[in-house]
PDB file of all heavy atoms in Angstrom:
ATOM      1  N   ARG A   1     115.268 105.998 111.835  1.00  0.00           N
ATOM      2  CA  ARG A   1     115.995 104.761 112.182  1.00  0.00           C
ATOM      3  C   ARG A   1     116.483 104.794 113.621  1.00  0.00           C
ATOM      4  O   ARG A   1     116.420 103.794 114.349  1.00  0.00           O
ATOM      5  CB  ARG A   1     117.173 104.558 111.237  1.00  0.00           C
ATOM      6  CG  ARG A   1     116.796 104.182 109.819  1.00  0.00           C
ATOM      7  CD  ARG A   1     118.034 103.786 109.024  1.00  0.00           C
ATOM      8  NE  ARG A   1     117.723 103.550 107.624  1.00  0.00           N
ATOM      9  CZ  ARG A   1     117.962 104.417 106.646  1.00  0.00           C
ATOM     10  NH1 ARG A   1     118.536 105.588 106.909  1.00  0.00           N
ATOM     11  NH2 ARG A   1     117.656 104.125 105.398  1.00  0.00           N
ATOM     12  N   ALA A   2     116.981 105.950 114.053  1.00  0.00           N
ATOM     13  CA  ALA A   2     117.486 106.083 115.419  1.00  0.00           C
ATOM     14  C   ALA A   2     116.367 105.872 116.432  1.00  0.00           C
ATOM     15  O   ALA A   2     116.553 105.215 117.459  1.00  0.00           O
ATOM     16  CB  ALA A   2     118.137 107.450 115.604  1.00  0.00           C
ATOM     17  N   ARG A   3     115.197 106.425 116.149  1.00  0.00           N
ATOM     18  CA  ARG A   3     114.051 106.232 117.050  1.00  0.00           C
ATOM     19  C   ARG A   3     113.639 104.771 117.099  1.00  0.00           C
ATOM     20  O   ARG A   3     113.286 104.240 118.153  1.00  0.00           O
ATOM     21  CB  ARG A   3     112.876 107.090 116.591  1.00  0.00           C
ATOM     22  CG  ARG A   3     113.052 108.581 116.898  1.00  0.00           C
ATOM     23  CD  ARG A   3     111.862 109.379 116.431  1.00  0.00           C
ATOM     24  NE  ARG A   3     110.627 108.799 116.930  1.00  0.00           N
ATOM     25  CZ  ARG A   3     109.445 108.908 116.314  1.00  0.00           C
ATOM     26  NH1 ARG A   3     109.366 109.547 115.167  1.00  0.00           N
ATOM     27  NH2 ARG A   3     108.370 108.371 116.834  1.00  0.00           N
ATOM     28  N   PHE A   4     113.687 104.115 115.953  1.00  0.00           N
ATOM     29  CA  PHE A   4     113.347 102.687 115.917  1.00  0.00           C
ATOM     30  C   PHE A   4     114.318 101.876 116.761  1.00  0.00           C
ATOM     31  O   PHE A   4     113.921 101.012 117.534  1.00  0.00           O
ATOM     32  CB  PHE A   4     113.365 102.187 114.471  1.00  0.00           C
ATOM     33  CG  PHE A   4     113.186 100.703 114.359  1.00  0.00           C
ATOM     34  CD1 PHE A   4     111.933 100.131 114.440  1.00  0.00           C
ATOM     35  CD2 PHE A   4     114.294  99.869 114.202  1.00  0.00           C
ATOM     36  CE1 PHE A   4     111.775  98.759 114.359  1.00  0.00           C
ATOM     37  CE2 PHE A   4     114.144  98.496 114.122  1.00  0.00           C
ATOM     38  CZ  PHE A   4     112.881  97.943 114.201  1.00  0.00           C
ATOM     39  N   LEU A   5     115.611 102.156 116.612  1.00  0.00           N
ATOM     40  CA  LEU A   5     116.626 101.401 117.341  1.00  0.00           C
ATOM     41  C   LEU A   5     116.554 101.639 118.843  1.00  0.00           C
ATOM     42  O   LEU A   5     116.963 100.787 119.631  1.00  0.00           O
ATOM     43  CB  LEU A   5     118.015 101.757 116.815  1.00  0.00           C
ATOM     44  CG  LEU A   5     118.307 101.293 115.378  1.00  0.00           C
ATOM     45  CD1 LEU A   5     119.643 101.862 114.904  1.00  0.00           C
ATOM     46  CD2 LEU A   5     118.302  99.779 115.287  1.00  0.00           C
ATOM     47  N   ALA A   6     116.037 102.790 119.233  1.00  0.00           N
ATOM     48  CA  ALA A   6     115.971 103.128 120.660  1.00  0.00           C
ATOM     49  C   ALA A   6     115.037 102.193 121.428  1.00  0.00           C
ATOM     50  O   ALA A   6     115.290 101.858 122.581  1.00  0.00           O
ATOM     51  CB  ALA A   6     115.532 104.577 120.841  1.00  0.00           C
ATOM     52  N   ASP A   7     113.930 101.769 120.783  1.00  0.00           N
ATOM     53  CA  ASP A   7     112.984 100.905 121.509  1.00  0.00           C
ATOM     54  C   ASP A   7     112.368  99.832 120.610  1.00  0.00           C
ATOM     55  O   ASP A   7     111.277  99.333 120.880  1.00  0.00           O
ATOM     56  CB  ASP A   7     111.873 101.740 122.147  1.00  0.00           C
ATOM     57  CG  ASP A   7     111.006 102.458 121.121  1.00  0.00           C
ATOM     58  OD1 ASP A   7     111.304 102.359 119.918  1.00  0.00           O
ATOM     59  OD2 ASP A   7     110.033 103.115 121.531  1.00  0.00           O
ATOM     60  N   SER A   8     113.085  99.479 119.529  1.00  0.00           N
ATOM     61  CA  SER A   8     112.621  98.458 118.576  1.00  0.00           C
ATOM     62  C   SER A   8     111.283  98.817 117.941  1.00  0.00           C
ATOM     63  O   SER A   8     110.541  97.941 117.501  1.00  0.00           O
ATOM     64  CB  SER A   8     112.505  97.086 119.259  1.00  0.00           C
ATOM     65  OG  SER A   8     113.770  96.686 119.741  1.00  0.00           O
ATOM     66  N   GLY A   9     110.976 100.108 117.913  1.00  0.00           N
ATOM     67  CA  GLY A   9     109.770 100.566 117.243  1.00  0.00           C
ATOM     68  C   GLY A   9     108.505 100.473 118.058  1.00  0.00           C
ATOM     69  O   GLY A   9     107.412 100.751 117.559  1.00  0.00           O
ATOM     70  N   ASP A  10     108.616 100.092 119.339  1.00  0.00           N
ATOM     71  CA  ASP A  10     107.413  99.903 120.156  1.00  0.00           C
ATOM     72  C   ASP A  10     106.577 101.171 120.292  1.00  0.00           C
ATOM     73  O   ASP A  10     105.345 101.105 120.384  1.00  0.00           O
ATOM     74  CB  ASP A  10     107.792  99.399 121.556  1.00  0.00           C
ATOM     75  CG  ASP A  10     108.301  97.965 121.533  1.00  0.00           C
ATOM     76  OD1 ASP A  10     108.089  97.285 120.511  1.00  0.00           O
ATOM     77  OD2 ASP A  10     108.930  97.536 122.517  1.00  0.00           O
ATOM     78  N   ALA A  11     107.229 102.317 120.314  1.00  0.00           N
ATOM     79  CA  ALA A  11     106.499 103.573 120.502  1.00  0.00           C
ATOM     80  C   ALA A  11     106.094 104.224 119.190  1.00  0.00           C
ATOM     81  O   ALA A  11     105.442 105.268 119.184  1.00  0.00           O
ATOM     82  CB  ALA A  11     107.358 104.548 121.314  1.00  0.00           C
ATOM     83  N   MET A  12     106.467 103.628 118.079  1.00  0.00           N
ATOM     84  CA  MET A  12     106.173 104.227 116.775  1.00  0.00           C
ATOM     85  C   MET A  12     104.716 104.002 116.365  1.00  0.00           C
ATOM     86  O   MET A  12     104.214 102.880 116.480  1.00  0.00           O
ATOM     87  CB  MET A  12     107.065 103.621 115.694  1.00  0.00           C
ATOM     88  CG  MET A  12     108.452 104.202 115.618  1.00  0.00           C
ATOM     89  SD  MET A  12     109.351 103.503 114.215  1.00  0.00           S
ATOM     90  CE  MET A  12     110.575 104.794 113.974  1.00  0.00           C
ATOM     91  N   PRO A  13     104.062 105.040 115.861  1.00  0.00           N
ATOM     92  CA  PRO A  13     102.734 104.812 115.274  1.00  0.00           C
ATOM     93  C   PRO A  13     102.880 103.990 113.993  1.00  0.00           C
ATOM     94  O   PRO A  13     103.962 103.918 113.402  1.00  0.00           O
ATOM     95  CB  PRO A  13     102.228 106.224 114.970  1.00  0.00           C
ATOM     96  CG  PRO A  13     103.447 107.076 114.878  1.00  0.00           C
ATOM     97  CD  PRO A  13     104.458 106.463 115.800  1.00  0.00           C
ATOM     98  N   ASP A  14     101.781 103.389 113.555  1.00  0.00           N
ATOM     99  CA  ASP A  14     101.833 102.505 112.387  1.00  0.00           C
ATOM    100  C   ASP A  14     102.397 103.195 111.147  1.00  0.00           C
ATOM    101  O   ASP A  14     103.149 102.596 110.387  1.00  0.00           O
ATOM    102  CB  ASP A  14     100.432 101.963 112.077  1.00  0.00           C
ATOM    103  CG  ASP A  14     100.107 100.715 112.891  1.00  0.00           C
ATOM    104  OD1 ASP A  14     100.899 100.364 113.785  1.00  0.00           O
ATOM    105  OD2 ASP A  14      99.063 100.088 112.632  1.00  0.00           O
ATOM    106  N   TYR A  15     102.042 104.477 110.937  1.00  0.00           N
ATOM    107  CA  TYR A  15     102.482 105.118 109.695  1.00  0.00           C
ATOM    108  C   TYR A  15     103.998 105.301 109.683  1.00  0.00           C
ATOM    109  O   TYR A  15     104.629 105.207 108.625  1.00  0.00           O
ATOM    110  CB  TYR A  15     101.751 106.451 109.468  1.00  0.00           C
ATOM    111  CG  TYR A  15     102.329 107.647 110.182  1.00  0.00           C
ATOM    112  CD1 TYR A  15     103.347 108.411 109.600  1.00  0.00           C
ATOM    113  CD2 TYR A  15     101.858 108.033 111.435  1.00  0.00           C
ATOM    114  CE1 TYR A  15     103.880 109.514 110.254  1.00  0.00           C
ATOM    115  CE2 TYR A  15     102.376 109.117 112.087  1.00  0.00           C
ATOM    116  CZ  TYR A  15     103.386 109.866 111.494  1.00  0.00           C
ATOM    117  OH  TYR A  15     103.914 110.952 112.138  1.00  0.00           O
ATOM    118  N   GLU A  16     104.609 105.529 110.845  1.00  0.00           N
ATOM    119  CA  GLU A  16     106.066 105.681 110.869  1.00  0.00           C
ATOM    120  C   GLU A  16     106.772 104.335 110.685  1.00  0.00           C
ATOM    121  O   GLU A  16     107.793 104.257 110.003  1.00  0.00           O
ATOM    122  CB  GLU A  16     106.505 106.347 112.177  1.00  0.00           C
ATOM    123  CG  GLU A  16     106.190 107.824 112.225  1.00  0.00           C
ATOM    124  CD  GLU A  16     106.804 108.510 113.432  1.00  0.00           C
ATOM    125  OE1 GLU A  16     107.113 107.827 114.433  1.00  0.00           O
ATOM    126  OE2 GLU A  16     106.968 109.742 113.380  1.00  0.00           O
ATOM    127  N   LEU A  17     106.229 103.287 111.281  1.00  0.00           N
ATOM    128  CA  LEU A  17     106.824 101.966 111.102  1.00  0.00           C
ATOM    129  C   LEU A  17     106.714 101.528 109.638  1.00  0.00           C
ATOM    130  O   LEU A  17     107.652 100.969 109.072  1.00  0.00           O
ATOM    131  CB  LEU A  17     106.135 100.949 112.012  1.00  0.00           C
ATOM    132  CG  LEU A  17     106.771  99.558 112.067  1.00  0.00           C
ATOM    133  CD1 LEU A  17     108.216  99.630 112.544  1.00  0.00           C
ATOM    134  CD2 LEU A  17     105.961  98.638 112.972  1.00  0.00           C
ATOM    135  N   LEU A  18     105.579 101.834 109.022  1.00  0.00           N
ATOM    136  CA  LEU A  18     105.403 101.490 107.616  1.00  0.00           C
ATOM    137  C   LEU A  18     106.305 102.351 106.734  1.00  0.00           C
ATOM    138  O   LEU A  18     106.907 101.856 105.768  1.00  0.00           O
ATOM    139  CB  LEU A  18     103.935 101.672 107.222  1.00  0.00           C
ATOM    140  CG  LEU A  18     103.541 101.221 105.820  1.00  0.00           C
ATOM    141  CD1 LEU A  18     103.951  99.782 105.560  1.00  0.00           C
ATOM    142  CD2 LEU A  18     102.033 101.378 105.620  1.00  0.00           C
ATOM    143  N   GLU A  19     106.423 103.623 107.070  1.00  0.00           N
ATOM    144  CA  GLU A  19     107.327 104.521 106.348  1.00  0.00           C
ATOM    145  C   GLU A  19     108.756 103.973 106.391  1.00  0.00           C
ATOM    146  O   GLU A  19     109.451 103.914 105.371  1.00  0.00           O
ATOM    147  CB  GLU A  19     107.269 105.904 107.005  1.00  0.00           C
ATOM    148  CG  GLU A  19     108.076 106.981 106.312  1.00  0.00           C
ATOM    149  CD  GLU A  19     108.029 108.308 107.063  1.00  0.00           C
ATOM    150  OE1 GLU A  19     107.278 108.423 108.060  1.00  0.00           O
ATOM    151  OE2 GLU A  19     108.777 109.212 106.663  1.00  0.00           O
ATOM    152  N   LEU A  20     109.177 103.539 107.558  1.00  0.00           N
ATOM    153  CA  LEU A  20     110.517 102.971 107.740  1.00  0.00           C
ATOM    154  C   LEU A  20     110.674 101.677 106.932  1.00  0.00           C
ATOM    155  O   LEU A  20     111.707 101.442 106.299  1.00  0.00           O
ATOM    156  CB  LEU A  20     110.729 102.697 109.228  1.00  0.00           C
ATOM    157  CG  LEU A  20     112.118 102.306 109.716  1.00  0.00           C
ATOM    158  CD1 LEU A  20     113.102 103.441 109.491  1.00  0.00           C
ATOM    159  CD2 LEU A  20     112.069 101.963 111.207  1.00  0.00           C
ATOM    160  N   THR A  21     109.643 100.850 106.933  1.00  0.00           N
ATOM    161  CA  THR A  21     109.665  99.595 106.183  1.00  0.00           C
ATOM    162  C   THR A  21     109.837  99.841 104.689  1.00  0.00           C
ATOM    163  O   THR A  21     110.519  99.079 103.994  1.00  0.00           O
ATOM    164  CB  THR A  21     108.359  98.822 106.433  1.00  0.00           C
ATOM    165  OG1 THR A  21     108.231  98.553 107.834  1.00  0.00           O
ATOM    166  CG2 THR A  21     108.324  97.504 105.670  1.00  0.00           C
ATOM    167  N   LEU A  22     109.227 100.919 104.192  1.00  0.00           N
ATOM    168  CA  LEU A  22     109.267 101.216 102.761  1.00  0.00           C
ATOM    169  C   LEU A  22     110.606 101.789 102.295  1.00  0.00           C
ATOM    170  O   LEU A  22     110.844 101.873 101.085  1.00  0.00           O
ATOM    171  CB  LEU A  22     108.140 102.193 102.405  1.00  0.00           C
ATOM    172  CG  LEU A  22     106.717 101.636 102.511  1.00  0.00           C
ATOM    173  CD1 LEU A  22     105.696 102.760 102.393  1.00  0.00           C
ATOM    174  CD2 LEU A  22     106.465 100.576 101.449  1.00  0.00           C
ATOM    175  N   PHE A  23     111.469 102.177 103.226  1.00  0.00           N
ATOM    176  CA  PHE A  23     112.776 102.733 102.841  1.00  0.00           C
ATOM    177  C   PHE A  23     113.532 101.791 101.901  1.00  0.00           C
ATOM    178  O   PHE A  23     114.170 102.224 100.951  1.00  0.00           O
ATOM    179  CB  PHE A  23     113.649 102.993 104.078  1.00  0.00           C
ATOM    180  CG  PHE A  23     113.259 104.200 104.886  1.00  0.00           C
ATOM    181  CD1 PHE A  23     113.930 104.486 106.073  1.00  0.00           C
ATOM    182  CD2 PHE A  23     112.251 105.046 104.482  1.00  0.00           C
ATOM    183  CE1 PHE A  23     113.599 105.592 106.831  1.00  0.00           C
ATOM    184  CE2 PHE A  23     111.903 106.155 105.243  1.00  0.00           C
ATOM    185  CZ  PHE A  23     112.576 106.431 106.415  1.00  0.00           C
ATOM    186  N   ALA A  24     113.497 100.488 102.199  1.00  0.00           N
ATOM    187  CA  ALA A  24     114.277  99.532 101.411  1.00  0.00           C
ATOM    188  C   ALA A  24     113.771  99.422  99.980  1.00  0.00           C
ATOM    189  O   ALA A  24     114.549  99.194  99.055  1.00  0.00           O
ATOM    190  CB  ALA A  24     114.239  98.157 102.084  1.00  0.00           C
ATOM    191  N   ALA A  25     112.457  99.573  99.787  1.00  0.00           N
ATOM    192  CA  ALA A  25     111.879  99.452  98.449  1.00  0.00           C
ATOM    193  C   ALA A  25     111.908 100.766  97.678  1.00  0.00           C
ATOM    194  O   ALA A  25     111.898 100.769  96.452  1.00  0.00           O
ATOM    195  CB  ALA A  25     110.439  98.952  98.549  1.00  0.00           C
ATOM    196  N   ILE A  26     111.947 101.889  98.413  1.00  0.00           N
ATOM    197  CA  ILE A  26     111.940 103.214  97.777  1.00  0.00           C
ATOM    198  C   ILE A  26     113.105 104.010  98.354  1.00  0.00           C
ATOM    199  O   ILE A  26     112.944 104.755  99.332  1.00  0.00           O
ATOM    200  CB  ILE A  26     110.605 103.954  98.043  1.00  0.00           C
ATOM    201  CG1 ILE A  26     109.424 103.066  97.638  1.00  0.00           C
ATOM    202  CG2 ILE A  26     110.551 105.265  97.283  1.00  0.00           C
ATOM    203  CD1 ILE A  26     108.075 103.639  97.976  1.00  0.00           C
ATOM    204  N   PRO A  27     114.306 103.871  97.799  1.00  0.00           N
ATOM    205  CA  PRO A  27     115.498 104.461  98.424  1.00  0.00           C
ATOM    206  C   PRO A  27     115.621 105.974  98.327  1.00  0.00           C
ATOM    207  O   PRO A  27     116.311 106.567  99.124  1.00  0.00           O
ATOM    208  CB  PRO A  27     116.654 103.764  97.685  1.00  0.00           C
ATOM    209  CG  PRO A  27     116.077 103.342  96.386  1.00  0.00           C
ATOM    210  CD  PRO A  27     114.634 103.027  96.635  1.00  0.00           C
ATOM    211  N   ARG A  28     114.987 106.622  97.369  1.00  0.00           N
ATOM    212  CA  ARG A  28     115.248 108.055  97.162  1.00  0.00           C
ATOM    213  C   ARG A  28     113.982 108.906  97.108  1.00  0.00           C
ATOM    214  O   ARG A  28     113.962 109.938  96.464  1.00  0.00           O
ATOM    215  CB  ARG A  28     116.034 108.261  95.856  1.00  0.00           C
ATOM    216  CG  ARG A  28     117.419 107.645  95.882  1.00  0.00           C
ATOM    217  CD  ARG A  28     118.174 107.919  94.605  1.00  0.00           C
ATOM    218  NE  ARG A  28     119.479 107.299  94.638  1.00  0.00           N
ATOM    219  CZ  ARG A  28     119.721 106.041  94.312  1.00  0.00           C
ATOM    220  NH1 ARG A  28     118.711 105.261  93.927  1.00  0.00           N
ATOM    221  NH2 ARG A  28     120.934 105.546  94.371  1.00  0.00           N
ATOM    222  N   ARG A  29     112.945 108.476  97.789  1.00  0.00           N
ATOM    223  CA  ARG A  29     111.717 109.258  97.768  1.00  0.00           C
ATOM    224  C   ARG A  29     111.091 109.274  99.150  1.00  0.00           C
ATOM    225  O   ARG A  29     111.257 108.327  99.926  1.00  0.00           O
ATOM    226  CB  ARG A  29     110.742 108.643  96.752  1.00  0.00           C
ATOM    227  CG  ARG A  29     109.683 109.630  96.270  1.00  0.00           C
ATOM    228  CD  ARG A  29     108.849 109.028  95.145  1.00  0.00           C
ATOM    229  NE  ARG A  29     107.842 108.107  95.640  1.00  0.00           N
ATOM    230  CZ  ARG A  29     107.612 106.906  95.136  1.00  0.00           C
ATOM    231  NH1 ARG A  29     108.331 106.454  94.138  1.00  0.00           N
ATOM    232  NH2 ARG A  29     106.669 106.130  95.635  1.00  0.00           N
ATOM    233  N   ASP A  30     110.382 110.332  99.458  1.00  0.00           N
ATOM    234  CA  ASP A  30     109.678 110.427 100.724  1.00  0.00           C
ATOM    235  C   ASP A  30     108.610 109.335 100.767  1.00  0.00           C
ATOM    236  O   ASP A  30     107.733 109.266  99.897  1.00  0.00           O
ATOM    237  CB  ASP A  30     109.035 111.817 100.833  1.00  0.00           C
ATOM    238  CG  ASP A  30     108.302 112.022 102.146  1.00  0.00           C
ATOM    239  OD1 ASP A  30     108.418 111.164 103.032  1.00  0.00           O
ATOM    240  OD2 ASP A  30     107.611 113.056 102.283  1.00  0.00           O
ATOM    241  N   THR A  31     108.667 108.472 101.769  1.00  0.00           N
ATOM    242  CA  THR A  31     107.730 107.344 101.833  1.00  0.00           C
ATOM    243  C   THR A  31     106.515 107.610 102.722  1.00  0.00           C
ATOM    244  O   THR A  31     105.613 106.785 102.777  1.00  0.00           O
ATOM    245  CB  THR A  31     108.451 106.080 102.351  1.00  0.00           C
ATOM    246  OG1 THR A  31     108.980 106.329 103.653  1.00  0.00           O
ATOM    247  CG2 THR A  31     109.577 105.665 101.406  1.00  0.00           C
ATOM    248  N   LYS A  32     106.514 108.762 103.386  1.00  0.00           N
ATOM    249  CA  LYS A  32     105.395 109.038 104.303  1.00  0.00           C
ATOM    250  C   LYS A  32     104.047 109.102 103.582  1.00  0.00           C
ATOM    251  O   LYS A  32     103.062 108.499 104.045  1.00  0.00           O
ATOM    252  CB  LYS A  32     105.637 110.335 105.070  1.00  0.00           C
ATOM    253  CG  LYS A  32     104.548 110.608 106.119  1.00  0.00           C
ATOM    254  CD  LYS A  32     104.755 111.952 106.814  1.00  0.00           C
ATOM    255  CE  LYS A  32     105.967 111.908 107.689  1.00  0.00           C
ATOM    256  NZ  LYS A  32     106.134 113.172 108.470  1.00  0.00           N
ATOM    257  N   PRO A  33     103.935 109.812 102.432  1.00  0.00           N
ATOM    258  CA  PRO A  33     102.618 109.859 101.765  1.00  0.00           C
ATOM    259  C   PRO A  33     102.105 108.469 101.374  1.00  0.00           C
ATOM    260  O   PRO A  33     100.919 108.187 101.524  1.00  0.00           O
ATOM    261  CB  PRO A  33     102.890 110.730 100.524  1.00  0.00           C
ATOM    262  CG  PRO A  33     104.071 111.563 100.887  1.00  0.00           C
ATOM    263  CD  PRO A  33     104.918 110.685 101.758  1.00  0.00           C
ATOM    264  N   LEU A  34     102.999 107.598 100.893  1.00  0.00           N
ATOM    265  CA  LEU A  34     102.562 106.259 100.507  1.00  0.00           C
ATOM    266  C   LEU A  34     102.166 105.440 101.733  1.00  0.00           C
ATOM    267  O   LEU A  34     101.182 104.701 101.706  1.00  0.00           O
ATOM    268  CB  LEU A  34     103.668 105.543  99.730  1.00  0.00           C
ATOM    269  CG  LEU A  34     103.320 104.132  99.240  1.00  0.00           C
ATOM    270  CD1 LEU A  34     102.046 104.138  98.398  1.00  0.00           C
ATOM    271  CD2 LEU A  34     104.483 103.541  98.459  1.00  0.00           C
ATOM    272  N   ALA A  35     102.921 105.589 102.821  1.00  0.00           N
ATOM    273  CA  ALA A  35     102.578 104.873 104.057  1.00  0.00           C
ATOM    274  C   ALA A  35     101.179 105.266 104.524  1.00  0.00           C
ATOM    275  O   ALA A  35     100.359 104.403 104.883  1.00  0.00           O
ATOM    276  CB  ALA A  35     103.609 105.176 105.138  1.00  0.00           C
ATOM    277  N   LYS A  36     100.884 106.551 104.479  1.00  0.00           N
ATOM    278  CA  LYS A  36      99.565 107.022 104.931  1.00  0.00           C
ATOM    279  C   LYS A  36      98.464 106.573 103.975  1.00  0.00           C
ATOM    280  O   LYS A  36      97.347 106.247 104.407  1.00  0.00           O
ATOM    281  CB  LYS A  36      99.585 108.535 105.090  1.00  0.00           C
ATOM    282  CG  LYS A  36     100.433 108.977 106.277  1.00  0.00           C
ATOM    283  CD  LYS A  36     100.203 110.427 106.647  1.00  0.00           C
ATOM    284  CE  LYS A  36     100.881 110.772 107.971  1.00  0.00           C
ATOM    285  NZ  LYS A  36     100.608 112.146 108.409  1.00  0.00           N
ATOM    286  N   ALA A  37      98.766 106.535 102.669  1.00  0.00           N
ATOM    287  CA  ALA A  37      97.769 106.078 101.700  1.00  0.00           C
ATOM    288  C   ALA A  37      97.445 104.597 101.912  1.00  0.00           C
ATOM    289  O   ALA A  37      96.280 104.182 101.835  1.00  0.00           O
ATOM    290  CB  ALA A  37      98.286 106.301 100.278  1.00  0.00           C
ATOM    291  N   LEU A  38      98.463 103.791 102.196  1.00  0.00           N
ATOM    292  CA  LEU A  38      98.250 102.365 102.446  1.00  0.00           C
ATOM    293  C   LEU A  38      97.423 102.142 103.713  1.00  0.00           C
ATOM    294  O   LEU A  38      96.521 101.298 103.749  1.00  0.00           O
ATOM    295  CB  LEU A  38      99.593 101.648 102.559  1.00  0.00           C
ATOM    296  CG  LEU A  38     100.331 101.421 101.236  1.00  0.00           C
ATOM    297  CD1 LEU A  38     101.794 101.072 101.486  1.00  0.00           C
ATOM    298  CD2 LEU A  38      99.650 100.306 100.428  1.00  0.00           C
ATOM    299  N   LEU A  39      97.716 102.912 104.746  1.00  0.00           N
ATOM    300  CA  LEU A  39      96.960 102.766 105.995  1.00  0.00           C
ATOM    301  C   LEU A  39      95.522 103.246 105.827  1.00  0.00           C
ATOM    302  O   LEU A  39      94.604 102.675 106.425  1.00  0.00           O
ATOM    303  CB  LEU A  39      97.656 103.544 107.118  1.00  0.00           C
ATOM    304  CG  LEU A  39      98.975 102.918 107.596  1.00  0.00           C
ATOM    305  CD1 LEU A  39      99.725 103.880 108.509  1.00  0.00           C
ATOM    306  CD2 LEU A  39      98.716 101.611 108.324  1.00  0.00           C
ATOM    307  N   ALA A  40      95.333 104.289 105.009  1.00  0.00           N
ATOM    308  CA  ALA A  40      93.973 104.764 104.752  1.00  0.00           C
ATOM    309  C   ALA A  40      93.160 103.689 104.037  1.00  0.00           C
ATOM    310  O   ALA A  40      91.957 103.543 104.271  1.00  0.00           O
ATOM    311  CB  ALA A  40      94.020 106.039 103.911  1.00  0.00           C
ATOM    312  N   ARG A  41      93.812 102.908 103.176  1.00  0.00           N
ATOM    313  CA  ARG A  41      93.112 101.861 102.435  1.00  0.00           C
ATOM    314  C   ARG A  41      92.864 100.620 103.295  1.00  0.00           C
ATOM    315  O   ARG A  41      91.784 100.050 103.280  1.00  0.00           O
ATOM    316  CB  ARG A  41      93.935 101.478 101.197  1.00  0.00           C
ATOM    317  CG  ARG A  41      93.432 100.242 100.436  1.00  0.00           C
ATOM    318  CD  ARG A  41      92.099 100.475  99.725  1.00  0.00           C
ATOM    319  NE  ARG A  41      92.270 101.424  98.662  1.00  0.00           N
ATOM    320  CZ  ARG A  41      92.578 101.100  97.401  1.00  0.00           C
ATOM    321  NH1 ARG A  41      92.738  99.833  97.075  1.00  0.00           N
ATOM    322  NH2 ARG A  41      92.693 102.029  96.482  1.00  0.00           N
TER     323      ARG A  41
END
C-alpha cells in the first residue's frame, strides 16, 4: 500500500497492482498466487 501511495501505482507491475486490488475481496489470505494465476490466464 505504501508503494502504491508513493506514486499512485505507476511503477507497479501488473501482478502487484492486481494483488493490491484483491486485498478488499480476500482480507486474510496471500493474494499474490491468485493475481499471478489470473494474469497467466
Side-chain angles (χ1 to χ4, degrees):
R1 289 189 186 101
R3 286 180 51 208
F4 173 80
L5 292 173
D7 64 357
S8 299
D10 290 345
M12 279 185 158
D14 274 8
Y15 83 87
E16 286 188 338
L17 188 59
L18 186 54
E19 184 183 354
L20 189 64
T21 301
L22 292 169
F23 285 176
I26 307 175
R28 296 182 181 84
R29 202 173 79 227
D30 181 8
T31 60
K32 184 184 291 185
L34 181 55
K36 290 194 170 184
L38 285 164
L39 289 169
R41 171 69 67 91

